[in-house]
Amino acid sequence: MIFDSHAHYDDEAFDEDREELLSSLADAGVGTVVNVGASLEGVRRTVELTEKYPFIYGAAGVHPDEVGALNEETFEWLKEQCGRKKIVAVGEIGLDYYWDREDRSIQKEWFVRQLRMAKELELPVIIHSREAAADTFEILKQEKTPELPMVMHCYSYSPEMAKEYLKMGFYLGIGGVLTFKNGKKLKETVAEAPIERLLLETDCPYLAPVPYRGKRNDSRKLTLVAEELGRIKGISAEEVIRITEENARRFFRLEQEERL
Ligand code: NI
């Protein structure tokens, strides 16, 4: 079944019909969702979702746009949340020089501190990086250890840089952008990357695949991304869904968990 490795169902875009939508996912072939907290409030709401829905797991971290909310006290709280059983990753964390909402030095400082927290807790990491290719790479080169799985969420850099990340053991998160007309760079990256290192992700409510581009996204629409990925790799969408589910279970260390 479809494994959505990156969703934001805590987003207000789902306030009207969250329960109805989440209850309909299984019938649409969606088996597992990792809801990703991006702010302190997002983490709190992610924990709630993981408690309410058996098929939802969570990631806890503070996005570079939101790191202004971190201090010793809130960081300690975040660490406690990471200790919860259904929190399976730290994320999304990283650098965002597109919005540049927080000072770059502060973004870097909290990126590194959250990476080290993940190492300490032995949790996989979800990386957000936008228009910050060089600094992200430099930090990750220093901080990545072979034991700690990491995914470049919504991978948006060059196919050449993807090779460097793959060499370092990274996974790549692939979503709706793969179906966009201007997604040529990503198609090239995906064509060259081993399928065992790809994870399907929506980033919903954002980044809906064609023909829903610009509309609200949800995990059911990942079938369209799987079809496109299958076309590129010369396999069926079903195969893509099966392999990427295995990948995600390995990545988030859910292999031993009972299938839901
Ligand atoms: Ni996201």
PDB file of all heavy atoms in Angstrom, residues 6 8 36 92 128 153 203, ligand 1:
ATOM      1  N   HIS A   6       5.748  11.943   4.025  1.00  0.00           N
ATOM      2  CA  HIS A   6       5.848  13.357   4.428  1.00  0.00           C
ATOM      3  C   HIS A   6       4.518  14.067   4.171  1.00  0.00           C
ATOM      4  O   HIS A   6       4.229  14.467   3.045  1.00  0.00           O
ATOM      5  CB  HIS A   6       6.967  14.032   3.634  1.00  0.00           C
ATOM      6  CG  HIS A   6       7.356  15.382   4.139  1.00  0.00           C
ATOM      7  ND1 HIS A   6       8.633  15.698   4.538  1.00  0.00           N
ATOM      8  CD2 HIS A   6       6.641  16.525   4.307  1.00  0.00           C
ATOM      9  CE1 HIS A   6       8.689  16.954   4.923  1.00  0.00           C
ATOM     10  NE2 HIS A   6       7.478  17.486   4.790  1.00  0.00           N
ATOM     11  N   HIS A   8       1.414  16.903   6.000  1.00  0.00           N
ATOM     12  CA  HIS A   8       1.117  17.886   7.057  1.00  0.00           C
ATOM     13  C   HIS A   8      -0.392  17.939   7.279  1.00  0.00           C
ATOM     14  O   HIS A   8      -1.036  18.940   6.951  1.00  0.00           O
ATOM     15  CB  HIS A   8       1.642  19.273   6.680  1.00  0.00           C
ATOM     16  CG  HIS A   8       3.126  19.331   6.455  1.00  0.00           C
ATOM     17  ND1 HIS A   8       4.033  19.311   7.488  1.00  0.00           N
ATOM     18  CD2 HIS A   8       3.865  19.402   5.324  1.00  0.00           C
ATOM     19  CE1 HIS A   8       5.270  19.376   6.996  1.00  0.00           C
ATOM     20  NE2 HIS A   8       5.176  19.423   5.681  1.00  0.00           N
ATOM     21  N   VAL A  36       4.482  15.218   9.446  1.00  0.00           N
ATOM     22  CA  VAL A  36       5.713  15.911   9.794  1.00  0.00           C
ATOM     23  C   VAL A  36       5.404  17.237  10.486  1.00  0.00           C
ATOM     24  O   VAL A  36       4.738  18.100   9.910  1.00  0.00           O
ATOM     25  CB  VAL A  36       6.562  16.150   8.523  1.00  0.00           C
ATOM     26  CG1 VAL A  36       7.832  16.930   8.853  1.00  0.00           C
ATOM     27  CG2 VAL A  36       6.919  14.820   7.867  1.00  0.00           C
ATOM     28  N   GLU A  92      10.609  18.396  10.061  1.00  0.00           N
ATOM     29  CA  GLU A  92      11.622  18.650   9.086  1.00  0.00           C
ATOM     30  C   GLU A  92      12.538  19.765   9.559  1.00  0.00           C
ATOM     31  O   GLU A  92      12.075  20.790  10.063  1.00  0.00           O
ATOM     32  CB  GLU A  92      11.003  19.000   7.723  1.00  0.00           C
ATOM     33  CG  GLU A  92       9.981  20.126   7.767  1.00  0.00           C
ATOM     34  CD  GLU A  92       9.275  20.296   6.409  1.00  0.00           C
ATOM     35  OE1 GLU A  92       9.933  20.704   5.440  1.00  0.00           O
ATOM     36  OE2 GLU A  92       8.068  20.020   6.359  1.00  0.00           O
ATOM     37  N   HIS A 128      14.891  19.569   5.161  1.00  0.00           N
ATOM     38  CA  HIS A 128      14.309  20.581   4.279  1.00  0.00           C
ATOM     39  C   HIS A 128      15.439  21.509   3.853  1.00  0.00           C
ATOM     40  O   HIS A 128      16.135  22.076   4.696  1.00  0.00           O
ATOM     41  CB  HIS A 128      13.234  21.367   5.036  1.00  0.00           C
ATOM     42  CG  HIS A 128      12.736  22.580   4.298  1.00  0.00           C
ATOM     43  ND1 HIS A 128      11.531  22.599   3.650  1.00  0.00           N
ATOM     44  CD2 HIS A 128      13.302  23.794   4.104  1.00  0.00           C
ATOM     45  CE1 HIS A 128      11.372  23.792   3.073  1.00  0.00           C
ATOM     46  NE2 HIS A 128      12.425  24.534   3.339  1.00  0.00           N
ATOM     47  N   HIS A 153      14.095  15.838   1.674  1.00  0.00           N
ATOM     48  CA  HIS A 153      12.676  15.997   1.392  1.00  0.00           C
ATOM     49  C   HIS A 153      12.491  16.933   0.212  1.00  0.00           C
ATOM     50  O   HIS A 153      13.191  17.945   0.119  1.00  0.00           O
ATOM     51  CB  HIS A 153      12.021  16.503   2.678  1.00  0.00           C
ATOM     52  CG  HIS A 153      10.890  17.432   2.498  1.00  0.00           C
ATOM     53  ND1 HIS A 153       9.745  17.070   1.844  1.00  0.00           N
ATOM     54  CD2 HIS A 153      10.711  18.703   2.902  1.00  0.00           C
ATOM     55  CE1 HIS A 153       8.909  18.096   1.855  1.00  0.00           C
ATOM     56  NE2 HIS A 153       9.477  19.104   2.479  1.00  0.00           N
ATOM     57  N   ASP A 203       3.961  16.056   0.878  1.00  0.00           N
ATOM     58  CA  ASP A 203       4.110  17.400   1.441  1.00  0.00           C
ATOM     59  C   ASP A 203       2.742  18.091   1.464  1.00  0.00           C
ATOM     60  O   ASP A 203       2.665  19.317   1.382  1.00  0.00           O
ATOM     61  CB  ASP A 203       5.116  18.252   0.652  1.00  0.00           C
ATOM     62  CG  ASP A 203       5.721  19.370   1.506  1.00  0.00           C
ATOM     63  OD1 ASP A 203       5.678  19.268   2.747  1.00  0.00           O
ATOM     64  OD2 ASP A 203       6.205  20.355   0.929  1.00  0.00           O
TER      65      ASP A 203
HETATM   66 NI    NI B   1       6.955  19.598   4.470  1.00  0.00          NI
END
